[in-house]
Amino acid sequence: MTLPIGIDLDQYKTQAKELLKEVRAARPEALARLLEYRRSDHIKLADAQFVIARENGFPSWTKFKEFILFRNAVKALDSGDLPRLEALLDDHPSLVRYRCRVGPMYEQGYFAGATLLYHVAGNPDRGPLPRNILDIARLLVSRDFDRNVAEYTIGLLLTSRRASEAGVALPLVDLLVKAGAKFDLDSPDVLAMPLLNVAPATAEALVQRGAKMDIRYAAGLGNVEVLKNMLAERIEPAMLEEVLAFACIRGQTEAAALLLHHGAKGDVLVTPGGQTPRTALHEAANRGHLDIVKILLANGADANIIEPRWGGTPAGWAEHGGNPEAAAMLRNFT
């Protein structure tokens, strides 16, 4: 749907009052607007508000008002305006539980039905997180704590580039855990979440806290000494290819070269972190890691390999990732 132009609720209240005035003055255009959505002999302000809501794509004034207030709260959150956010929550306590399902981010995908708390993760990316994001999260949690919402927010934090770059992912996780959310540092896949989602600083911080680093994560973090020690043991070929994919995802050239030396190919379909099948070459191309693309090709990786989900070649993935130089290199190699 087309979103309302503004987020000033008073603006829409004024529009409703003006419409009511024009209807009572029997102006044809106003009467036509009213009759499209409402038929009544005794027109009240609530009828005019209903028309305004319907014209903006909402089934009722109440639903429209909730959405506008939510947008105001998100704006206050994103700008770090804690007093404004606190005032909104004081006047409208249900806002903290509101789930938005209107707008491109909110209608489908992992952010559909987002609450305000989800937004503290900066994932999806809406710009830099405010410096007082911990205070904002603390305010939201103090008003209404839902463990399921908090635990989903932890997932958003672990995969957030913005939270990783700002160094606030784990402090925010700590805040949510202290409030009652569960978080398993010992999960075997806890490091996969940040490493597969452009959040390496979060992965490093998790390692400092004791998260288990297997050979995939050693490659993704570029910890070559640890990787060498792990490669002293026999590694199954399929795992070796997945390890190489992690190195390619994170642009770890030295780790990739080491893995190629130990027998990795780079053109074998793998499913890193449970993702759909792709090769290490697809990943390096998609992310524009030219040095790695070069060494994979020099090592004999097939530039024409096709992944089955989208039918994409490494060159196609490079184009999709906005890396024309890598795409040209791969096409010239075929």
Side-chain angles (χ1 to χ4, degrees):
M1 65 177 288
T2 302
L3 295 179
I5 295 174
I7 63 172
D8 183 353
L9 186 61
D10 289 338
Q11 162 195 339
Y12 294 108
K13 288 179 178 179
T14 299
Q15 288 181 15
K17 292 175 181 177
E18 290 174 348
L19 176 60
L20 178 62
K21 182 179 179 180
E22 291 175 357
V23 166
R24 287 175 172 171
R27 294 186 177 176
E29 183 179 344
L31 290 170
R33 288 173 63 193
L34 177 72
L35 292 174
E36 185 172 353
Y37 299 108
R38 181 76 89 192
R39 295 180 182 276
S40 176
D41 294 331
H42 304 286
I43 306 302
K44 303 182 293 295
L45 179 60
D47 298 305
Q49 290 175 335
F50 178 77
V51 172
I52 297 298
R54 291 302 306 273
E55 287 178 341
N56 281 279
F58 288 80
S60 69
W61 176 257
T62 297
K63 296 291 185 185
F64 183 49
K65 178 181 176 180
E66 287 176 339
F67 175 71
I68 295 298
L69 290 170
F70 177 80
R71 289 183 68 189
N72 274 272
V74 170
K75 181 180 179 182
L77 187 156
D78 285 343
S79 64
D81 190 344
L82 189 62
R84 172 62 174 155
L85 180 59
E86 189 168 12
L88 283 166
L89 295 176
D90 285 343
D91 293 341
H92 310 281
S94 63
L95 261 180
V96 76
R97 297 185 296 277
Y98 179 80
R99 287 184 173 271
C100 186
R101 293 183 171 84
V102 178
M105 292 193 305
Y106 303 102
E107 293 171 5
Q108 58 185 353
Y110 69 91
F111 211 61
T115 69
L116 284 174
L117 187 62
Y118 287 10
H119 292 70
V120 304
N123 178 14
D125 192 345
R126 301 182 314 282
L129 289 169
R131 293 183 178 181
N132 62 344
I133 193 65
L134 283 166
D135 293 329
I136 288 170
R138 195 171 291 111
L139 170 65
L140 295 174
V141 168
S142 72
R143 293 307 177 93
D144 184 79
F145 180 77
D146 182 317
R147 198 175 82 180
N148 290 330
V149 170
E151 290 173 359
Y152 192 82
T153 303
I154 288 175
L156 293 175
L157 285 163
L158 295 178
T159 55
S160 169
R161 177 177 70 87
R162 289 292 185 179
S164 178
E165 291 176 351
V168 297
L170 293 195
L172 284 165
V173 169
D174 291 341
L175 188 155
L176 297 176
V177 169
K178 185 177 180 180
K182 291 183 179 180
F183 170 60
D184 184 7
L185 182 64
D186 296 326
S187 169
D189 296 321
V190 70
L191 290 174
M193 298 176 72
L195 285 175
L196 294 174
N197 289 278
V198 201
T202 298
E204 292 279 9
L206 287 167
V207 170
Q208 292 298 317
R209 290 199 177 189
K212 182 180 178 181
M213 184 165 61
D214 69 16
I215 191 169
R216 299 171 300 166
Y217 308 142
L221 289 167
N223 196 325
V224 175
E225 293 306 314
V226 172
L227 184 59
K228 285 178 180 178
N229 290 335
M230 291 180 170
L231 285 170
E233 304 291 331
R234 172 172 167 73
I235 308 297
E236 291 297 323
M239 174 55 72
L240 198 62
E241 296 297 335
E242 184 172 351
V243 175
L244 178 58
F246 269 82
C248 291
I249 288 166
R250 294 278 10 106
Q252 302 293 355
T253 304
E254 188 177 356
L258 181 61
L259 291 161
L260 291 171
H261 178 73
H262 278 76
K265 303 298 183 185
D267 57 6
V268 178
L269 292 169
V270 293
T271 56
Q275 298 181 91
T276 57
R278 74 281 309 279
T279 70
L281 183 57
H282 280 88
E283 289 287 9
N286 179 52
R287 297 164 194 268
H289 300 314
L290 291 175
D291 289 344
I292 296 181
V293 171
K294 289 177 183 177
I295 64 172
L296 291 175
L297 293 175
N299 194 66
D302 182 1
N304 295 307
I305 185 73
I306 295 175
E307 48 79 20
R309 174 66 186 277
W310 309 108
T313 62
W317 276 47
E319 280 192 347
H320 185 267
N323 300 296
E325 190 175 350
M329 180 190 300
L330 287 156
R331 288 204 170 89
N332 290 334
F333 199 85
T334 58

